[in-house]
Amino acid sequence: QVQLVESGGGLVQPGGSLRLSCAASGSIFRPNTMGWYRQAPGNQRELVATIASSGRTKYADSVKGRFTISRDNVKDTVNLQMNSLQVADTAVYYCWMDNFGSAYWGQGSQVTVAS
């Protein structure tokens, strides 16, 4: 089993920045892939960004150039730096890990972008 604990999130004005962090613990296999998904009210959960142990990243088109994902392979943490936030980025953000074919999720962090 793997536990993912998120921190960060909150309320920010359009154009502002927020940082999400996630720490993994438990039976972690390496290499693995970690990342972030989000779900807005009435919408399906969607990929935001992922990062493999190698450092290879993948971003949703809607966040490219604004969000940056990073990880610490020693501490098993993943971060999401979100800049130039838009109202459309408002959602619950979930930390995610693909651990040897099994998917694990964090508890979710609310990000609200409003003036």
Side-chain angles (χ1 to χ4, degrees), residues 5-96:
V5 178
E6 304 172 18
S7 60
L11 172 64
V12 66
Q13 292 185 341
S17 298
L18 282 175
R19 183 178 178 88
L20 298 175
S21 297
C22 175
S25 61
S27 301
I28 298 171
F29 293 95
R30 297 177 180 85
N32 57 61
T33 301
M34 299 184 73
W36 295 90
Y37 283 70
R38 67 186 181 186
Q39 187 168 17
N43 291 354
Q44 291 187 333
R45 193 171 296 189
E46 63 178 6
L47 180 145
V48 177
T50 62
I51 183 167
S53 297
S54 64
R56 179 172 55 89
T57 59
K58 178 180 180 180
Y59 291 93
D61 287 343
S62 60
V63 307
K64 283 180 181 177
R66 300 188 299 121
F67 291 11
T68 302
I69 191 170
S70 61
R71 65 181 290 166
D72 185 324
N73 288 335
V74 175
K75 298 180 179 179
D76 290 316
T77 58
V78 63
N79 300 305
L80 185 69
Q81 179 64 41
M82 304 182 289
N83 298 330
S84 302
L85 282 160
Q86 305 167 356
V87 173
D89 295 317
T90 296
V92 177
Y93 285 69
Y94 295 92
C95 180
W96 165 86

